[in-house]
Amino acid sequence: MLQVAQRMGRLGTETAFEVLARAEALARSGHDVINLGIGQPDFKTPPHIVEAATKALRDGHHGYTPAPGIPKLREAVAADIAKYRDVEIDPDLVLVVPGGKVTMFFAIMMFGEPGAEILYPNPGFPIYESVIAFSGAKPVPIPLLEDRDFSFDAEAVLDLITPATRLLIVNSPANPTGGTVSKSELDKLAAGLEAHPHVAVMSDEIYARMTYDGVPHASLTAYESLRDRLILLDGWSKTYAMTGWRLGYSVWPKSLIEGATRMAVNCHSCVNAAAQFAGIAALEGPQDSVDTMVAAFDDRRHAIVDALNGLPGVTCRKPTGAFYAFPNITGTGMDTRTLQNRLLEEAFVATVAGTSFGAYGEGYLRFSYANSKQNILAAIDRIRDLLV
Ligand code: PLP
């Protein structure tokens, strides 16, 4: 009998991948499945980025790179942060990693152990809670509620801090709700954190470029008082439609970058060299593809919210970021998992149950609008047929 470590029993998963597998199996057996479950842009990686990677391989860049990343890429990340967040950071604090997830794994494993508490958004990206539990720490949910447009009250977050709190995770714009945290709420949070110098913060800003209605992204990097304890998570996956490239980055405080780099050396040595060259091209090249993609998301955002609000038993607030809508489905009389399963199996529409993102997701369903407007509206028609 093999005996694996007890912590394996505490490691969760990301159900969106399971829904995707079931949707693909249904499609293979001949059903016309509309996938609104998937958390990745339905756009292609822009050609100049693909070309930079193929050129890198042709030029012989096929060996290991420095563990924290190619210096030119780390400099390009720092320049990008200066451009979009108006903050000067030292390129030596940038760690290039294989995807956004790696930053959260490293940050949580760095702080989490039995006796420690880690605050995380709920509903939120499921890997936060999963890895916190895996580390042995206690996951302490920050409830994100519909009546606050899925943002939080900074005072309520600060009230959850105890002497055992090691790390606070913030995600804005957010998965799965499409909510964003306003600059004024971040101001309050940052000010309040000054009384809790033992708490590190990980800010997951992977959807930073996807905000709407002319409201700029509010970043936690803006606060000088957090500079020595803030871990920034971002990457290329969503902004440049590069989910399969596995390329992300983090910015660490001076006191943590060495430990984070050691984790990288132990885990993956370095990121695929050609992908890093692609990353440079993405940051330094034309940004019109990003603007076009975000404009398309914005158009679909209005369309899906209007359509969802026309369904019996469904109400949906307008999300302010990312590419997700998170309607309240309690009026259908079904719990979220039942509705998710019925939509997939009877209407062939893939969505993700709110509870896949934590207990506070009951009563909601995640729709990704990373699909064509035509498909989105066709999916809503099918759902209407099922609900009436
Ligand atoms: N953070 C959030 C909030 C996400 O939604 C995702 C992906 O869905 C990630 C991080 C992970 O991104 P990556 O695919 O680059 O690992």
Side-chain angles (χ1 to χ4, degrees), residues 228-244:
D228 60 354
R229 49 180 158 139
L230 180 75
I231 301 157
L232 171 70
L233 182 162
D234 201 343
W236 288 258
S237 295
K238 317 286 175 173
T239 314
Y240 299 99
M242 292 176 70
T243 50

mmCIF file of all heavy atoms in Angstrom, residues 228-244:
data_model
loop_
_atom_site.group_PDB
_atom_site.id
_atom_site.type_symbol
_atom_site.label_atom_id
_atom_site.label_comp_id
_atom_site.label_asym_id
_atom_site.label_seq_id
_atom_site.Cartn_x
_atom_site.Cartn_y
_atom_site.Cartn_z
ATOM 1 N N ASP A 228 7.417 46.942 0.946
ATOM 2 C CA ASP A 228 8.307 45.907 1.486
ATOM 3 C C ASP A 228 7.566 44.620 1.861
ATOM 4 O O ASP A 228 8.126 43.720 2.467
ATOM 5 C CB ASP A 228 9.086 46.444 2.702
ATOM 6 C CG ASP A 228 8.136 46.885 3.814
ATOM 7 O OD1 ASP A 228 6.896 46.872 3.590
ATOM 8 O OD2 ASP A 228 8.616 47.237 4.904
ATOM 9 N N ARG A 229 6.263 44.526 1.477
ATOM 10 C CA ARG A 229 5.542 43.273 1.788
ATOM 11 C C ARG A 229 4.509 42.904 0.728
ATOM 12 O O ARG A 229 3.629 42.098 0.952
ATOM 13 C CB ARG A 229 4.896 43.339 3.164
ATOM 14 C CG ARG A 229 4.084 44.602 3.400
ATOM 15 C CD ARG A 229 3.508 44.538 4.770
ATOM 16 N NE ARG A 229 3.161 45.819 5.305
ATOM 17 C CZ ARG A 229 2.041 46.027 5.990
ATOM 18 N NH1 ARG A 229 1.216 45.034 6.220
ATOM 19 N NH2 ARG A 229 1.777 47.219 6.460
ATOM 20 N N LEU A 230 4.640 43.530 -0.429
ATOM 21 C CA LEU A 230 3.668 43.259 -1.499
ATOM 22 C C LEU A 230 4.265 42.328 -2.559
ATOM 23 O O LEU A 230 5.358 42.575 -3.060
ATOM 24 C CB LEU A 230 3.229 44.562 -2.172
ATOM 25 C CG LEU A 230 2.218 44.367 -3.307
ATOM 26 C CD1 LEU A 230 0.826 44.060 -2.746
ATOM 27 C CD2 LEU A 230 2.147 45.582 -4.220
ATOM 28 N N ILE A 231 3.505 41.288 -2.888
ATOM 29 C CA ILE A 231 3.874 40.402 -3.995
ATOM 30 C C ILE A 231 2.854 40.667 -5.104
ATOM 31 O O ILE A 231 1.650 40.494 -4.903
ATOM 32 C CB ILE A 231 3.797 38.917 -3.558
ATOM 33 C CG1 ILE A 231 4.741 38.674 -2.373
ATOM 34 C CG2 ILE A 231 4.120 37.994 -4.734
ATOM 35 C CD1 ILE A 231 4.358 37.468 -1.536
ATOM 36 N N LEU A 232 3.340 41.101 -6.248
ATOM 37 C CA LEU A 232 2.443 41.356 -7.385
ATOM 38 C C LEU A 232 2.427 40.128 -8.286
ATOM 39 O O LEU A 232 3.487 39.609 -8.648
ATOM 40 C CB LEU A 232 2.935 42.570 -8.183
ATOM 41 C CG LEU A 232 2.215 42.810 -9.520
ATOM 42 C CD1 LEU A 232 0.774 43.269 -9.295
ATOM 43 C CD2 LEU A 232 2.959 43.847 -10.377
ATOM 44 N N LEU A 233 1.223 39.665 -8.629
ATOM 45 C CA LEU A 233 1.062 38.552 -9.571
ATOM 46 C C LEU A 233 0.466 39.107 -10.861
ATOM 47 O O LEU A 233 -0.577 39.750 -10.852
ATOM 48 C CB LEU A 233 0.130 37.492 -8.963
ATOM 49 C CG LEU A 233 -0.178 36.202 -9.733
ATOM 50 C CD1 LEU A 233 -0.730 35.141 -8.795
ATOM 51 C CD2 LEU A 233 -1.091 36.377 -10.920
ATOM 52 N N ASP A 234 1.153 38.865 -11.970
ATOM 53 C CA ASP A 234 0.599 39.232 -13.282
ATOM 54 C C ASP A 234 1.235 38.295 -14.310
ATOM 55 O O ASP A 234 1.975 37.371 -13.956
ATOM 56 C CB ASP A 234 0.879 40.715 -13.584
ATOM 57 C CG ASP A 234 -0.075 41.301 -14.643
ATOM 58 O OD1 ASP A 234 -0.729 40.509 -15.363
ATOM 59 O OD2 ASP A 234 -0.155 42.536 -14.769
ATOM 60 N N GLY A 235 0.938 38.513 -15.555
ATOM 61 C CA GLY A 235 1.495 37.624 -16.583
ATOM 62 C C GLY A 235 0.889 37.908 -17.935
ATOM 63 O O GLY A 235 0.170 38.894 -18.117
ATOM 64 N N TRP A 236 1.172 37.019 -18.854
ATOM 65 C CA TRP A 236 0.813 37.233 -20.247
ATOM 66 C C TRP A 236 -0.462 36.483 -20.647
ATOM 67 O O TRP A 236 -1.023 36.740 -21.709
ATOM 68 C CB TRP A 236 1.967 36.759 -21.142
ATOM 69 C CG TRP A 236 3.172 37.644 -21.108
ATOM 70 C CD1 TRP A 236 3.524 38.556 -22.072
ATOM 71 C CD2 TRP A 236 4.192 37.720 -20.110
ATOM 72 N NE1 TRP A 236 4.692 39.186 -21.712
ATOM 73 C CE2 TRP A 236 5.127 38.695 -20.523
ATOM 74 C CE3 TRP A 236 4.418 37.073 -18.887
ATOM 75 C CZ2 TRP A 236 6.261 39.014 -19.768
ATOM 76 C CZ3 TRP A 236 5.546 37.401 -18.137
ATOM 77 C CH2 TRP A 236 6.442 38.355 -18.580
ATOM 78 N N SER A 237 -0.900 35.534 -19.810
ATOM 79 C CA SER A 237 -1.943 34.588 -20.216
ATOM 80 C C SER A 237 -3.186 35.262 -20.772
ATOM 81 O O SER A 237 -3.677 34.907 -21.845
ATOM 82 C CB SER A 237 -2.358 33.715 -19.029
ATOM 83 O OG SER A 237 -1.279 32.914 -18.629
ATOM 84 N N LYS A 238 -3.714 36.224 -20.022
ATOM 85 C CA LYS A 238 -5.003 36.814 -20.396
ATOM 86 C C LYS A 238 -4.779 37.998 -21.340
ATOM 87 O O LYS A 238 -5.439 38.124 -22.367
ATOM 88 C CB LYS A 238 -5.767 37.263 -19.147
ATOM 89 C CG LYS A 238 -5.732 36.269 -17.992
ATOM 90 C CD LYS A 238 -6.595 35.045 -18.196
ATOM 91 C CE LYS A 238 -6.395 34.054 -17.048
ATOM 92 N NZ LYS A 238 -7.273 32.924 -17.064
ATOM 93 N N THR A 239 -3.832 38.876 -20.985
ATOM 94 C CA THR A 239 -3.631 40.117 -21.743
ATOM 95 C C THR A 239 -3.266 39.851 -23.201
ATOM 96 O O THR A 239 -3.728 40.556 -24.099
ATOM 97 C CB THR A 239 -2.498 40.942 -21.089
ATOM 98 O OG1 THR A 239 -2.717 40.964 -19.688
ATOM 99 C CG2 THR A 239 -2.461 42.358 -21.623
ATOM 100 N N TYR A 240 -2.430 38.852 -23.428
ATOM 101 C CA TYR A 240 -1.955 38.609 -24.790
ATOM 102 C C TYR A 240 -2.463 37.274 -25.337
ATOM 103 O O TYR A 240 -1.894 36.742 -26.287
ATOM 104 C CB TYR A 240 -0.418 38.672 -24.822
ATOM 105 C CG TYR A 240 0.104 40.024 -24.398
ATOM 106 C CD1 TYR A 240 0.567 40.230 -23.100
ATOM 107 C CD2 TYR A 240 0.074 41.103 -25.276
ATOM 108 C CE1 TYR A 240 1.012 41.493 -22.694
ATOM 109 C CE2 TYR A 240 0.516 42.369 -24.884
ATOM 110 C CZ TYR A 240 0.976 42.550 -23.591
ATOM 111 O OH TYR A 240 1.410 43.795 -23.192
ATOM 112 N N ALA A 241 -3.521 36.741 -24.726
ATOM 113 C CA ALA A 241 -4.088 35.460 -25.181
ATOM 114 C C ALA A 241 -2.988 34.397 -25.270
ATOM 115 O O ALA A 241 -2.763 33.784 -26.304
ATOM 116 C CB ALA A 241 -4.799 35.646 -26.522
ATOM 117 N N MET A 242 -2.293 34.193 -24.155
ATOM 118 C CA MET A 242 -1.139 33.283 -24.141
ATOM 119 C C MET A 242 -1.256 32.228 -23.040
ATOM 120 O O MET A 242 -0.243 31.817 -22.464
ATOM 121 C CB MET A 242 0.160 34.089 -23.971
ATOM 122 C CG MET A 242 0.481 34.953 -25.179
ATOM 123 S SD MET A 242 1.933 36.002 -24.960
ATOM 124 C CE MET A 242 3.280 34.801 -24.972
ATOM 125 N N THR A 243 -2.464 31.749 -22.773
ATOM 126 C CA THR A 243 -2.620 30.818 -21.642
ATOM 127 C C THR A 243 -1.770 29.555 -21.783
ATOM 128 O O THR A 243 -1.265 29.027 -20.806
ATOM 129 C CB THR A 243 -4.096 30.416 -21.449
ATOM 130 O OG1 THR A 243 -4.605 29.999 -22.711
ATOM 131 C CG2 THR A 243 -4.944 31.551 -20.915
ATOM 132 N N GLY A 244 -1.642 29.071 -23.014
ATOM 133 C CA GLY A 244 -0.910 27.810 -23.209
ATOM 134 C C GLY A 244 0.602 27.966 -23.258
ATOM 135 O O GLY A 244 1.330 26.975 -23.276
#
